[in-house]
Amino acid sequence: SVPNPESRWCGWDAAGNPVAPKDWPGKRALRGEHVVPGVEMLYRADSGEGTWMRVSASPLRDENGHLVGTCLIIQDINQLKLAEQVLKEADRRKNEFLAVLAHELRNPLAPITNSLDMLRRANGNVEKARHSHAILERQIGHMTRLVDDLLDISRITVGKIQLHREPLEFSQIVLHAVDASREAIETCGLSLTIQLPSDSV
């Protein structure tokens, strides 16, 4: 059996809503409408591969003004639509990146605030002051790296992001995590004991 030609086509209006076959450009032109700049439509071949088209239409009339047919103009916009989809995906990834980055930029603020408060209350206690300074240095370093990540957004957009792999000290990772969570731990009245390996990992 010959497939219904309408089953191969789908159309969408400017707002992205599906267009029913009765409102496709050719049908509208038969009702006397000029459909310009046209409707974006997707045509699917037997293989299932889709091709994007922009279909415009105008009514054809005889010398007496009677409607006798339509004139269809079909433009291949497949490359344009594919590029548009790539841009949308890049924009979605950028927005996800910004959301994660905003969250990560906020995380160091709690240990920085706590450390400043500890410095105010140190009252000459050198050990407390040294501990607070160490936390401040770690968290400010962490924020600096995050700001560097923020500067990478332009490189992500153009697909030129580069990942630099390097060894990290395990104990420093643990300390970063503890600093970021210390306020929540103390607020809940919990006690945290840390046991780090004596050797470098």
Side-chain angles (χ1 to χ4, degrees), residues 24-191:
W24 287 355
K27 301 287 181 68
R28 289 168 60 185
L30 286 174
R31 297 196 293 266
E33 292 184 57
H34 291 273
V35 186
V36 178
V39 174
E40 290 186 354
M41 303 191 73
L42 182 66
Y43 174 80
R44 292 204 176 276
D46 289 336
S47 63
E49 183 179 358
T51 303
W52 285 95
M53 309 283 188
R54 180 177 285 114
V55 182
S56 306
S58 290
L60 287 178
R61 300 181 184 275
D62 62 18
E63 61 273 12
N64 298 316
H66 297 130
L67 189 62
V68 294
T70 65
C71 175
L72 290 175
I73 298 176
I74 302 177
Q75 298 170 282
D76 185 336
I77 59 168
N78 205 52
Q79 292 301 316
L80 179 65
K81 290 297 292 183
L82 292 176
E84 183 182 286
Q85 290 169 5
V86 169
L87 286 174
K88 284 182 178 179
E89 177 64 14
D91 189 58
R92 183 190 66 79
R93 290 184 178 183
K94 183 181 71 174
N95 289 337
E96 287 181 356
F97 175 78
L98 286 172
V100 171
L101 186 63
H103 177 73
E104 291 297 322
L105 280 170
R106 186 177 178 84
N107 280 344
L109 296 179
I112 287 174
T113 301
N114 283 345
S115 298
L116 290 172
D117 186 55
M118 288 172 61
L119 281 174
R120 280 193 296 268
R121 293 183 293 157
N123 294 325
N125 187 317
V126 176
E127 186 57 35
K128 282 186 177 181
R130 185 182 295 113
H131 178 66
S132 297
H133 277 123
I135 292 176
L136 286 170
E137 286 179 354
R138 283 197 300 271
Q139 295 305 321
I140 290 173
H142 181 49
M143 291 193 77
T144 300
R145 289 190 295 274
L146 289 172
V147 171
D148 288 339
D149 288 345
L150 183 58
L151 296 176
D152 280 337
I153 289 179
S154 61
R155 279 170 279 194
I156 290 174
T157 303
V158 296
K160 292 184 178 179
I161 187 69
Q162 292 182 337
L163 298 179
H164 300 283
R165 299 174 62 179
E166 62 182 63
L168 295 174
E169 181 63 42
F170 174 73
S171 61
Q172 293 302 312
I173 296 174
V174 173
L175 291 175
H176 281 308
V178 171
D179 290 345
S181 306
R182 190 175 298 279
E183 182 181 31
I185 293 170
E186 293 177 352
T187 300
C188 294
L190 301 175
S191 176

